[in-house]
Amino acid sequence: MGPTEKDVLVDWLNWLAHLPPKFKMVLATVGAVIVVSLLLLFELFRLKLKADGNKRKAVVPNGSNGLTKEWTKGALEKISAHSCPIFDGIERAQNPMPWGSVLDAGTGSHSLEWILSIETNRWVAITGDRKRQTELEREYASKFREQDVLTTGNWRDPEFLKGQRKVFDVVLADYLLGSVDAYAPFFQDRLFDRLHPHVGRRLYITGAEPLPDHTQDPHGKIIVEIHKTRDACILLAGERPYREYPLDWVLRHVKHKFRVTHVSFFETSHTRGFVETQISVAESKLHKIKDQSLRKTMKGHLNELRWRVRKMTWPAEFSHDYVVCLEPVESLEEEAEEPKVPEGYRSEVQEQRQVYPRDEHSSDSETSDEEKKDK
Ligand SMILES: C[S@@+](CC[C@H](N)C(=O)[O-])C[C@H]1O[C@@H](n2cnc3c(N)ncnc32)[C@H](O)[C@@H]1O
């Protein structure tokens, strides 16, 4: 019978025990270096994953802290470039007021995770999608307290969230507006009025500026192309894509029932991971496209986009995200003055409207002249 595993181990230990002290020191040092390097590598990998997950990076615009009187002069919050500028900005605007009760009017893992990290008396989080509710429960239910509620409903339904305890100190509409087109099409103009009775002290709106149809920016070009292709796949699959709204649209639609206290904006930092996720979303819709040749063509185009993305350097800054902080007013006696977009804020999609839809070679006047001749 040969030596057992135990015998081999004992032999090894004996050999180690009889090594000269110098060798023992060398072995211990090498072992420690390997363990520390592995720990460092693991930490670097974790930080990289975290950075990739955070697609929004702060930009520090000119201007002072925005209070109503000054804010048309470029009243922009200065927000540091760490983990989440959106929620950092909201926390600063809220300081020193306590959170009290919080309503997350359009929840997801990002906003729910943040709400779980702040000190609230109670919170209610809403999604329009029951499947999403189940997913979020699976991930976070262990952190819910008895008084916290995650539920599914639709803001279009006038009966939804009626009854007791319906007023919250803070209401968060985090990227809710952009997604309303998928859940309650053509309800966007009524969303903030619908939320008004639930707002006790503060409403925070976050959103993404719509991407322009055309751009000269090399990263912008591919980002726009991916968004268009993604939305085309969603439409061909028989679903409704999201529709983002510009900051000035938001400001026009809150003016009767809210007073704007702070506005912040950020250059959106598109990581490679985020851009590739948009391609994956498009791919996940392909099986619902009935026309086989169209499906194949779309698949080919998505592959090509993925290949082009891999050849570029990321992250890239393109377009803006914004945060608006508001307080409810009961009713305004006079017509409220229209809040203006802060200085330095650029809406590419709105600027391009001055050039498009016609290109420079075919003006409206030429067409109307021809029409005149026809008559
Ligand atoms: C883009 S997600 C919001 C992002 C989210 N705050 C996060 O942390 O990632 C939009 C959320 O709003 C919900 N939603 C959109 N329209 C809605 C509506 N009309 N009524 C209720 N919920 C709606 C969606 O179901 C989803 O949960």
Side-chain angles (χ1 to χ4, degrees), residues 38-100:
L38 284 175
L39 284 173
L40 269 175
L41 270 177
F42 176 76
E43 186 58 19
L44 281 175
F45 184 64
R46 202 181 61 81
L47 286 175
K48 177 161 184 337
L49 280 184
K50 201 173 161 193
D52 275 356
N54 171 32
K55 82 177 176 81
R56 306 167 206 141
K57 179 177 160 252
V59 67
V60 181
N62 301 322
S64 55
N65 276 359
L67 291 172
T68 332
K69 273 191 220 149
E70 299 172 16
W71 83 294
T72 50
K73 288 187 230 143
L76 305 168
E77 186 93 352
K78 228 177 160 188
I79 291 172
S80 67
H82 68 273
S83 63
C84 181
I86 298 279
F87 293 127
D88 285 353
I90 292 177
E91 284 180 22
R92 278 206 230 168
Q94 180 73 6
N95 192 34
M97 280 193 290
W99 295 102

Side-chain angles (χ1 to χ4, degrees), residues 256-286:
H256 294 293
K257 297 211 169 193
F258 295 93
R259 183 176 35 247
V260 178
T261 65
H262 298 63
V263 179
S264 321
F265 67 83
F266 314 89
E267 259 179 319
T268 313
S269 177
H270 297 257
T271 62
R272 182 172 138 180
F274 178 73
V275 174
E276 285 184 335
T277 302
Q278 306 311 305
I279 299 176
S280 303
V281 169
E283 277 168 346
S284 74
K285 304 293 170 189
L286 291 178

